Amino acid sequence: MLIGTVNDRAFLLSTEGGQLRGLDIEESSGGRFSSQTAELFPDWEALREWATSANFDATSARTLDFDELQAPVATPRQVFAIGMNYKDHAAEVNLDLPSTPAVFTKYVSSLTGALETVELPSEAVDWEVELVAVVGIGGRDIPKDTALDHVAGYMVGQDLSDRALQFAGGGAPQFSVAKSYKGFAPTGPWITSSDEVADPGNLSMTCSRGDEVLQEGNTSNLVFDLPYLIHHLSSVVELYPGDLIFTGTPDGVGFGRSPQQYLVPGDELVSSIEGLGEIRQRFVPKGEAPVNSALREKEASLA
Ligand code: ZN
């Protein structure tokens, strides 16, 4: 089951035949399910059952453009992100493997959808493709062996990072704000429900710029795997339905290169994870981002 958000409403999506089609979930279910993606998680199993009989040939099915896909979970209550969580990435940035997960947040205002134009706040903006888990059932003190039962699904994410601000604090690195500029947390293109992901601990991922492959990794190289992260986070805070967990990035980031390399205006970044689809960002100088079609529609509906 693929769940996306279009025009601020929850859609069931199909990519069959290479064509993106969608059904408005509230309309197509006769009001059985909410129009708001965030409210679907308590009903997730019933939704999955309903989705198996959904008819994409119905007249209510819409053909969608990729750039209509907004952040699948636009305002989660909590966003967790994990630093230095791949063995190869920790090595390239010359840091010891952490003995406990290095947790920070990406503030929710940085979340965007699958296809976005992002302004560059500095000349040191870096890429980090990441597997993002969406919490379905929350809780505290979740044991490792049942942790994956708490995951509704998975998305591709980018943990865009301004290394200039991140390390401006000297001995007090500023991970959270440096990774939360406008558009710095693209997610999507949709939520792939967890039943369709055989093993989240063995997913290959790539991040490319044009023809150049920047990162190639696999979640099998995680220092702390997803069950451990859910166990660890829930031993401190309560997890809520819809919370996001950015699980870390493999090696190949610009900061770890010699000489270091960063994004420049005109670059297009493509991030993909096996079975989950891909997201794309184009980069422009500060103050020059055009308004995308999802925002145009929203503004038109408000006018
Ligand atoms: Zn990261």
Side-chain angles (χ1 to χ4, degrees):
M1 174 174 77
L2 310 180
I3 301 294
T5 303
V6 177
N7 210 12
D8 294 328
R9 294 178 64 84
F11 270 66
L12 179 69
L13 302 174
S14 164
T15 57
E16 241 176 75
Q19 201 186 25
L20 182 61
R21 311 195 75 206
L23 288 167
D24 182 294
I25 288 174
E26 187 194 34
E27 281 175 21
S28 304
S29 70
R32 163 73 180 83
F33 297 105
S34 173
S35 65
Q36 296 305 297
T37 310
E39 287 168 22
L40 297 174
F41 298 112
D43 257 351
W44 201 245
E45 286 312 306
L47 182 68
R48 275 212 302 122
E49 204 158 299
W50 171 79
T52 57
S53 57
N55 178 12
F56 283 94
D57 293 324
T59 50
S60 54
R62 278 186 54 196
T63 298
L64 297 168
D65 283 329
F66 203 70
D67 75 349
E68 290 182 86
L69 297 172
Q70 297 166 297
V73 189
T75 52
R77 292 168 80 178
Q78 302 177 107
V79 179
F80 305 96
I82 314 298
M84 275 82 69
N85 201 27
Y86 279 77
K87 295 160 198 163
D88 43 18
H89 173 57
E92 76 176 339
V93 294
N94 293 314
L95 288 165
D96 293 334
L97 287 184
S99 54
T100 189
V103 184
F104 58 93
T105 190
K106 290 175 81 71
Y107 295 105
V108 296
S109 60
S110 61
L111 286 164
T112 58
L115 182 68
E116 287 289 344
T117 301
V118 180
E119 296 179 1
L120 293 168
S122 83
E123 291 177 357
V125 176
D126 206 346
W127 49 84
E128 295 191 358
V129 60
E130 308 204 1
L131 173 69
V132 177
V134 184
V135 174
I137 303 166
R140 285 188 185 270
D141 297 318
I142 298 167
K144 251 189 89 167
D145 56 359
T146 54
L148 292 183
D149 297 345
H150 290 257
V151 178
Y154 300 94
M155 305 188 290
V156 184
Q158 255 294 338
D159 178 16
L160 293 171
S161 306
D162 177 11
R163 304 298 187 198
L165 180 59
Q166 185 176 350
F167 298 109
Q174 298 296 309
F175 277 54
S176 298
V177 286
K179 291 162 171 274
S180 293
Y181 282 95
K182 186 181 179 187
F184 267 35
T187 52
W190 40 70
I191 302 169
T192 300
S193 59
S194 53
D195 58 296
E196 293 190 15
V197 178
D199 182 4
N202 184 18
L203 293 174
S204 58
M205 62 183 76
T206 62
C207 171
S208 304
R209 175 174 55 185
D211 296 335
E212 182 189 7
V213 177
L214 299 167
Q215 293 182 279
E216 273 185 302
N218 190 292
T219 53
S220 60
N221 273 322
L222 283 169
V223 179
F224 300 105
D225 65 12
L226 185 58
Y228 185 83
L229 292 175
I230 289 169
H231 166 69
H232 173 75
L233 292 168
S234 70
S235 74
V236 181
V237 298
E238 181 168 354
L239 299 185
Y240 300 122
D243 282 355
L244 305 183
I245 305 172
F246 283 70
T247 53
T249 199
D251 68 341
V253 301
F255 178 67
R257 290 166 185 246
S258 179
Q260 292 174 344
Q261 256 186 50
Y262 296 112
L263 293 162
V264 297
D267 280 350
E268 187 186 51
L269 209 55
V270 181
S271 307
S272 66
I273 300 181
E274 184 183 355
L276 305 184
E278 66 178 36
I279 58 173
R280 290 170 178 264
Q281 295 80 46
R282 282 187 293 262
F283 295 88
V284 296
K286 199 165 172 53
E288 290 183 18
V291 177
N292 79 4
S293 73
L295 282 176
R296 270 201 307 276
E297 257 185 56
K298 193 170 174 181
E299 282 170 359
S301 72
L302 291 174

